[in-house]
Amino acid sequence: MATTYSAPGSVTVDIAGHTDNAQGLTVQPDGSVLIAGFSQFSNDLSDGTDFSLVGLSADGTLDTAYGHAGRQIIHKQIPLDKTYSLGVQADGGVIAAHEGHDATPIVQRWGPDGKADTTFNANAQASLPGGFGQTPLVEAQADGGLLVGAVNGNTLALAQLNADGTRHTAFGTNGLLTLQTNGAYLLLENITPLADGGVLVQGALHGQNSVTQYTASGELDTQFGDNGVVALTGLASYRGGVAVQDDGKIVIASTTAFDDFAVLRLNADGSRDASFGDDGLVSIDLPGEAAQASGITVLDDGKLLLSGDAYANGGSDFAAVRLNADGSLDTSFGSADGTTRLVGSSQNDSLQGLMSDEILRGLAGDDLLEGNLGRDLLSGGAGADTFRYASVADSFRTASTSGSDRILDFDPGEDKIDLTALGFTGLGDGYDGTLAMRTNADDSRTYLKSFEPDAEGQRFELTFNGDLSGAFTASNVLFAAPAPEPVADGELSLVGAVAPQIHTPVA
C-alpha cells in the first residue's frame, strides 16, 4: 500500500503500508522538497527499518518523477533498537550518524542515487577523534557540509565537516568545539548554527525540553532566555525541528498534544513572539488520528515548511505542512484546487477516507475503498475493486440533505459493493431491510437506496455514474446473510454456507 493524502495546506505520503517516521527535510534549488526518514517494509519487526525518501513538488504535490512514484528506498535493515540520526541534503544525498564501539560517531553519506559515498565515509571516519561522544546527531548545512554533535558527560562535542567529509578547520579549534553545559543532556535533538558563529542546541537538558544558545567560543550566551536556556514547556515532545529566520527569530516545530503539528516562535532573545499565533504558538490539526512535526525550514518568501508524521490512513506516514509567515495555513500547498484527495498506487491499496468530503482514487490494483464519513467521490480504476460501507452515515440522504457518496467507475464484471455491515438483506423495494435500485430521468445516474430512515433520519443511498439497471447481482453486491432459523429440540440442523439474499430489481 502506497497512498497519498492531500488537503489544502498539507500532504501525507505512505511509503509501503507500514510504519514511516520522518526525520528531516530539505528544499532543493528548484523549490522541490525532499523528506527523509525510516520505513518498515515488513510486519516482522526483526527485519528492521530502511532509509526512505519522498519527493514533493514546490506546490506540495507528489513528484512522481522522483524515485519510484515519488518515493526512494535505501535498504539498510537497521535493527529497531539501534538509534540513528538522519538528514537529507539539498542535492538529495542522505547523511546518517550512529554510535560506534568507542564513543566515536560513525557518520556516513549516500548519494542521490542511493549508493554509499565511499570517499565521504572514509574522510568522515578519519575526521572524528576517538571518544568524541555518545548519542550522535548529524545536521546538514546549506553549503553541503554538516555538523556532528554528541553528548560527552556534561559537555557537548561539535565537529563541522566539509562536503567531502574532511574536517572544517576554521570551525572552533581545528574543526572541533566543546560546549559547556549547566547540566547533563539526556538526549540531543537539534543543533542549529547562527549567523554570528554561535549555535542553538535543543534537547533534554536536566530532562527538560529546552533550547540553549551558545556563543561562537562555546560559552553559554547569558543574554538569551534564562542564563542561556529557554524551557519549551508548551511542547509535548522532545522530538522536533529548529530553524532561524532572517530577522533572528527562532521557530521550533513539534507537537502540543501528539495530535497536531505545532510551531513555537521565539524572539532573538528567547522571549515568546506574541505577534505569532497564541503567545507565539501555532497548532495545526492534520487529518487523521495523530500527528507530530519533526522538521522545519524557512523558505525564501518567509513561509514555514514543516515535516513529520501523521496517522491518517491506518498507519504512520510522512507528512508536510506549509504555513504563511504569520502562522496561518497556506492552503495553496498540497491541494491548490481546494479538494481533499486520497490516491492509491499501481499495487493493491486500502484507501480509508476520513471525516470530510474527499476524492478517493484507487488507480491500478485490486483496491479496497472506504469513503467513511463525508460526501465522497470514489474511483477504483483498473483491477477488481471493493467499495465497502460500514455505516449508513457513510452514505445517506435525509429529508432535507444529501451525504450520498458517488462511485464513478463501477465495473459490474469485477468490482464489488460490500454492504455486509449494514444489515440489509438484498435488493427489493427499499423497505423491510432491502435496497431499491433507481435511475434518474436521463439514466446518467443509478442509485441503491433505502426508504426507511434510521434513528438519525438517515436513509442509506449510494450513487453510481451511468445506467446500471440490471447490473447488480449476488456476485457484485454483498449483503448480510440472513440469520439461521431456530432449531427445535431434537431436530437436526444442516450447517453450511448461506448465499446472500438478492431480490429481483424493482424498476
Side-chain angles (χ1 to χ4, degrees):
M1 182 175 70
T3 58
T4 304
Y5 192 96
S6 57
S10 69
V11 60
T12 303
V13 182
D14 175 66
I15 309 298
H18 299 279
T19 299
D20 306 312
N21 294 120
Q23 296 293 308
L25 78 161
T26 190
V27 179
Q28 298 182 288
D30 63 356
S32 60
V33 178
L34 290 177
I35 303 172
F38 303 100
S39 292
Q40 287 180 234
F41 281 78
S42 167
N43 287 323
D44 186 347
L45 298 182
S46 65
D47 288 341
T49 62
D50 294 329
F51 297 157
S52 55
L53 297 97
V54 164
L56 303 177
S57 301
D59 62 359
T61 56
L62 189 66
D63 181 5
T64 55
Y66 174 76
H68 177 71
R71 303 157 174 89
Q72 180 168 310
I73 308 304
I74 300 175
H75 295 290
K76 293 295 293 177
Q77 292 186 299
I78 302 167
L80 294 179
D81 60 354
K82 194 165 189 177
T83 302
Y84 268 69
S85 170
L86 188 70
V88 58
Q89 298 176 301
D91 68 350
V94 174
I95 53 173
H98 65 278
E99 286 191 15
H101 296 296
D102 58 351
T104 301
I106 296 175
V107 179
Q108 297 172 295
R109 180 182 185 275
W110 289 262
D113 59 0
K115 296 180 180 179
D117 185 341
T118 55
T119 299
F120 176 94
N121 296 345
N123 289 339
Q125 182 175 353
S127 296
L128 297 172
F132 183 76
Q134 298 174 320
T135 62
L137 177 72
V138 62
E139 300 275 6
Q141 305 299 298
D143 61 359
L146 50 90
L147 275 175
V148 181
V151 177
N152 197 336
N154 281 353
T155 66
L156 296 178
L158 294 185
Q160 188 166 18
L161 304 183
N162 297 311
D164 63 357
T166 58
R167 196 184 299 174
H168 181 55
T169 56
F171 175 79
T173 302
N174 195 29
L176 302 175
L177 181 64
T178 299
L179 306 180
Q180 299 296 328
T181 70
N182 58 3
Y185 275 92
L186 298 184
L187 57 89
L188 197 59
E189 282 295 320
N190 290 281
I191 301 171
T192 307
L194 300 172
D196 63 0
V199 292
L200 287 169
V201 176
Q202 183 254 322
L205 180 63
H206 303 295
Q208 167 68 56
N209 191 13
S210 62
V211 60
T212 305
Q213 185 162 304
Y214 295 90
T215 66
S217 61
E219 302 297 325
L220 282 170
D221 185 351
T222 57
Q223 303 302 309
F224 179 81
D226 181 9
N227 198 34
V229 181
V230 173
L232 303 177
T233 54
L235 302 178
S237 173
Y238 295 122
R239 186 173 172 222
V242 179
V244 180
Q245 299 181 169
D246 290 341
D247 59 4
K249 293 184 178 182
I250 302 162
V251 284
I252 304 163
S254 186
T255 183
T256 56
F258 295 102
D259 59 0
D260 58 17
F261 275 22
V263 179
L264 176 65
R265 190 160 80 182
L266 306 177
N267 294 310
D269 63 0
S271 61
R272 286 181 175 241
D273 180 5
S275 68
F276 185 80
D278 181 9
D279 192 28
L281 184 65
V282 168
S283 294
I284 308 98
D285 185 18
L286 268 68
E289 300 174 3
Q292 178 174 359
S294 58
I296 187 170
T297 190
V298 182
L299 304 178
D300 291 341
D301 58 4
K303 294 182 178 181
L304 304 176
L305 182 64
L306 290 73
S307 64
D309 308 331
Y311 296 78
N313 195 35
S316 170
D317 303 324
F318 285 6
V321 170
R322 194 166 74 190
L323 305 179
N324 295 309
D326 63 359
S328 60
L329 191 65
D330 180 4
T331 55
S332 67
F333 181 81
S335 176
D337 64 1
T339 62
T340 300
R341 297 174 182 267
L342 178 58
V343 180
S345 67
S346 59
Q347 301 173 338
N348 299 338
D349 297 311
S350 175
L351 278 67
Q352 306 285 333
L354 302 176
M355 297 176 64
S356 63
D357 298 345
E358 298 157 330
I359 299 172
L360 278 67
R361 297 180 59 211
L363 301 182
D366 299 340
D367 303 315
L368 172 65
L369 294 88
E370 296 188 56
N372 296 320
L373 301 180
R375 192 176 186 184
D376 306 310
L377 296 176
L378 301 91
S379 171
D385 304 308
T386 298
F387 302 86
R388 179 184 293 168
Y389 286 85
S391 168
V392 170
D394 293 342
S395 185
F396 67 91
R397 179 178 292 277
T398 69
S400 58
T401 62
S402 174
S404 175
D405 285 3
R406 179 154 55 98
I407 297 176
L408 305 179
D409 62 346
F410 184 72
D411 183 344
E414 59 180 4
D415 295 341
K416 291 181 173 61
I417 307 297
D418 184 352
L419 306 178
T420 54
L422 303 188
F424 297 113
T425 57
L427 295 177
D429 60 3
Y431 294 93
D432 298 323
T434 67
L435 292 180
M437 187 206 70
R438 297 286 188 269
T439 59
N440 63 356
D442 63 0
D443 293 330
S444 61
R445 300 278 171 85
T446 303
Y447 305 90
L448 285 179
K449 58 171 60 185
S450 169
F451 296 114
E452 296 177 309
D454 61 14
E456 286 73 37
Q458 298 174 345
R459 296 177 283 112
F460 181 77
E461 179 182 275
L462 183 59
T463 307
F464 300 81
N465 272 7
D467 182 1
L468 297 178
S469 300
F472 298 120
T473 69
S475 298
N476 58 37
V477 183
L478 309 181
F479 290 101
E485 294 292 334
V487 179
D489 291 342
E491 293 186 4
L492 296 177
S493 172
L494 298 178
V495 179
V498 181
Q501 181 182 356
I502 303 295
H503 296 290
T504 303
V506 177

